[in-house]
Amino acid sequence: MATTKQTARISQPVRPKRAVMAKRAVMAKRAVMAKRAVMAKRAVMAKRAAIRPKQTSTAKSLETGKKSDSSPRKFRKLLDETVASLVVGNKQRVFKVHEALLCLSSPFFSAALRGEFKESEEQKIYFPEENEEVVERFVLWLYLGSVLEEDETCASLGYGMLGKIYIFAEARLVTRLQNEAVNLLIRKHAMTLKIPRDTMFYKRTSALSPVRKLVVDMAARRGFLDKWSWDFGDETSSISKEYLKDLVVALYKEKKLYKEKKQPQEQDFWKIRCDYHIHAEGEPKCSADTPNPDTL
């Protein structure tokens, strides 16, 4: 007669060995699929992070040269401070911007809003001759880190507007915005293969402006100069004499390298974009290995 323990063992249903093995195989397959899904999601997030515009110093630093706490509390404290007004154009359109953001972006705004000037008392800065869209994109850049609007590409933004943004930034010592404009010029050139020839790059920038070297190098290395329509008229000619002089020098250097059978100068301007940037002493340079966001 079987004992109670033996009876309990006999009464338990016995699963076939094949069924157990099949279930384990299904579970293992599901685990592999789940792991692949996680890896794919991480890859998409990494790609989006690479494309996303670099944030401005508002989230990076609250003191010059010091890395700040980027916590929401710190950012809210920053935005709780005084709001200044940028009054633009003949119609005097007003842009309300946090004073702290303006002062962090440039010593020009810091001196105007925190120095012993009328602007400091009124917390207003007037730009009667400035383009409204340029200032609007400057404000967009201050808060979001990019002058491009949502779903807008650098290819759709004209060289003229990029030039105006650069000139605005240079005049107000906003060096990081100058570098951003240079990057967009390079990206637009890579996408369209068109050369920026707008006269503003020479007529409204300083003699040592890096953007002058950029537009000349683009013309000398990839300009298709034989297809240009040149204007050598009187003194009202739209072509700057300084530009022509710099272009001749750049072409001579290219010809010399060709005759000496040396390696031609880099034509991928994204890799050498730092040559046309303005960086403070001790500030890290741009990596040539960082891919162009438009090629990802």
Side-chain angles (χ1 to χ4, degrees):
M1 185 174 178
T3 62
T4 305
K5 187 174 182 180
Q6 290 175 336
T7 304
R9 286 179 179 177
I10 295 172
S11 62
Q12 290 179 355
V14 179
R15 293 185 179 182
K17 188 175 181 180
R18 291 182 179 179
V20 174
M21 293 177 66
K23 185 176 180 180
R24 289 177 179 176
V26 171
M27 293 175 65
K29 186 175 181 180
R30 288 178 179 176
V32 171
M33 292 177 65
K35 186 176 180 180
R36 289 178 178 176
V38 171
M39 293 176 66
K41 185 176 180 181
R42 288 177 179 175
V44 171
M45 293 176 65
K47 185 175 180 180
R48 288 178 178 175
I51 297 175
R52 189 178 298 117
K54 193 175 181 180
Q55 296 296 318
T56 63
S57 64
T58 59
K60 287 184 176 180
S61 59
L62 292 174
E63 297 180 13
T64 304
K66 294 184 179 180
K67 190 174 182 180
S68 72
D69 179 9
S70 57
S71 64
R73 181 184 300 176
K74 206 75 162 180
F75 191 70
R76 283 197 299 269
K77 182 180 178 181
L78 178 68
L79 297 187
D80 284 341
E81 296 183 8
T82 308
V83 174
S85 298
L86 305 180
V87 186
V88 185
N90 295 328
K91 296 181 180 179
Q92 296 194 338
R93 181 181 175 184
V94 178
F95 294 88
K96 297 286 187 179
V97 186
H98 286 88
E99 181 217 37
L101 293 182
L102 289 169
C103 294
L104 281 172
S105 70
S106 160
F108 168 85
F109 289 105
S110 181
L113 297 172
R114 294 179 177 176
E116 298 179 357
F117 299 98
K118 181 181 178 180
E119 290 83 356
S120 178
E121 297 177 2
E122 298 180 350
Q123 287 297 295
K124 284 184 180 181
I125 301 179
Y126 290 85
F127 300 110
E129 299 180 358
E130 204 56 72
N131 183 290
E132 290 184 11
E133 184 180 350
V134 171
V135 179
E136 185 175 8
R137 291 185 181 275
F138 166 60
V139 174
L140 183 70
W141 173 80
L142 277 176
Y143 284 96
L144 301 181
S146 174
V147 300
L148 298 177
E149 297 180 1
E150 189 176 2
D151 299 328
E152 185 179 32
T153 66
C154 54
S156 62
L157 200 61
Y159 278 130
M161 178 52 61
L162 288 173
K164 290 176 182 177
I165 292 171
Y166 186 94
I167 291 164
F168 174 88
E170 183 179 79
R172 280 85 194 183
L173 306 177
V174 191
T175 55
R176 288 182 297 105
L177 182 55
Q178 287 178 253
N179 296 343
E180 173 70 9
V182 163
N183 289 347
L184 291 175
L185 283 168
I186 292 173
R187 289 169 58 186
K188 180 177 177 66
H189 169 69
M191 295 174 71
T192 64
L193 294 181
K194 293 183 179 179
I195 308 299
R197 288 181 285 156
D198 201 301
T199 55
M200 71 175 63
F201 288 111
Y202 262 74
K203 291 188 176 180
R204 297 180 59 189
T205 58
S206 64
L208 299 177
S209 180
V211 77
R212 290 191 176 193
K213 186 176 185 300
L214 174 62
V215 297
V216 166
D217 287 348
M218 284 181 173
R221 298 177 197 178
R222 300 182 64 177
F224 308 105
L225 302 183
D226 57 322
K227 298 180 181 180
W228 283 20
S229 56
W230 297 90
D231 178 10
F232 293 107
D234 54 19
E235 295 180 357
T236 62
S237 173
S238 61
I239 299 179
S240 167
K241 293 181 180 179
E242 292 177 300
Y243 173 78
L244 290 175
K245 177 183 176 182
D246 291 345
L247 180 58
V248 168
V249 172
L251 288 170
Y252 172 77
K253 290 180 179 179
E254 291 292 318
K255 184 178 180 180
K256 187 176 180 181
L257 287 173
Y258 178 78
K259 281 188 174 182
E260 295 176 354
K261 296 182 179 181
K262 292 183 178 180
Q263 182 70 23
Q265 298 189 69
E266 180 64 62
Q267 292 192 7
D268 185 351
F269 289 97
W270 180 259
K271 291 183 178 179
I272 57 173
R273 63 193 182 281
C274 207
D275 293 350
Y276 311 101
H277 285 175
I278 299 175
H279 291 292
E281 185 177 353
E283 186 178 354
K285 302 297 182 180
C286 307
S287 173
D289 298 327
T290 302
N292 185 331
D294 302 310
T295 60
L296 295 176

